[in-house]
């Protein structure tokens, strides 16, 4: 589980299961400082799952508001 604040600044790729794969975390951005890595899989954001919802809903939840904490449940490596 990682925490990032105000706009996670990651690239994510959509997934039919409602999860998303991180494609990159910008150097020095909140996501990178929180330990988010390319290849991580975002399972939920702020305790919310996104299966069956528009991908943009997840992206908007990740972005959050400036100064607001965002909680990500991440899967790293093989499960």
């Amino acid at each position: 589980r990682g925490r990032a604040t105000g706009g996670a600044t990651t690239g994510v790729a959509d997934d039919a299961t409602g999860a998303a794969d991180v494609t990159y975390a910008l150097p020095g951005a909140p996501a990178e400082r929180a330990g988010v890595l390319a290849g991580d899989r975002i399972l939920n954001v702020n305790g919310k799952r996104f299966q069956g919802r528009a991908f943009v809903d997840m992206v908007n939840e990740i972005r959050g508001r400036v100064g607001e904490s965002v909680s990500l449940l991440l899967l790293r490596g093989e499960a």
Side-chain angles (χ1 to χ4, degrees):
R1 186 177 294 261
R3 291 186 70 79
T5 304
T9 53
T10 58
V12 292
D14 195 345
D15 181 306
T17 67
D21 295 323
V22 176
T23 56
Y24 65 88
L26 291 175
E32 186 202 43
R33 292 193 309 267
V36 176
L37 301 173
D40 285 349
R41 190 164 182 74
I42 301 170
L43 302 178
N44 72 47
V45 183
N46 294 329
K48 299 176 188 173
R49 296 194 60 191
F50 290 88
Q51 187 168 8
R53 295 175 57 187
F55 181 61
V56 70
D57 293 339
M58 177 186 269
V59 172
N60 288 336
E61 189 75 24
I62 291 170
R63 285 184 181 151
R65 294 186 171 131
V66 174
E68 179 179 77
S69 290
V70 176
S71 178
L72 304 176
L73 178 61
L74 302 173
L75 177 65
R76 183 169 292 157
E78 297 293 321

